[in-house]
Amino acid sequence: MSLKQRVWTTEESDRNRGRLEQLAGFTGLGWTASTLGYLGAALGYGNTIVSRLVTEPQALLYVGGVCLLATLGLDRLTNGRDDG
């Protein structure tokens, strides 16, 4: 019974952590932009731009929620790698 176990070097761990942080940053920008877009549409600013991109401004709120959850999950995953 041979199980291969890969031991990460510090360099590989730092590289993977950097990738997770970049992805979390991208999703953070996504939820911020979509939430601001929704608020702009709800307040009456930029309705023409929102109507060209999506049919319902409420869809921006859903996208923002998904991106927010992804950001929180990636942040927790990054912090979990530090602990273990």
Side-chain angles (χ1 to χ4, degrees):
M1 182 170 119
S2 109
L3 295 174
K4 290 186 179 181
Q5 190 175 26
R6 182 176 177 184
V7 178
W8 286 2
T9 63
T10 306
E11 207 172 288
E12 288 175 344
S13 179
D14 288 343
R15 213 173 340 160
N16 289 333
R17 179 185 169 97
R19 288 179 186 154
L20 285 174
E21 287 177 351
Q22 285 179 347
L23 189 57
F26 181 71
T27 57
L29 285 175
W31 73 260
T32 302
S34 61
T35 304
L36 288 175
Y38 172 76
L39 289 175
L43 295 175
Y45 297 109
N47 283 336
T48 57
I49 295 172
V50 172
S51 66
R52 285 186 209 163
L53 296 175
V54 292
T55 57
E56 293 286 328
Q58 200 171 23
L60 287 173
L61 192 60
Y62 296 137
V63 170
V66 169
C67 287
L68 176 65
L69 291 176
T71 302
L72 294 174
L74 287 168
D75 185 47
R76 188 170 180 162
L77 184 64
T78 303
N79 291 338
R81 290 189 90 124
D82 291 341
D83 296 339

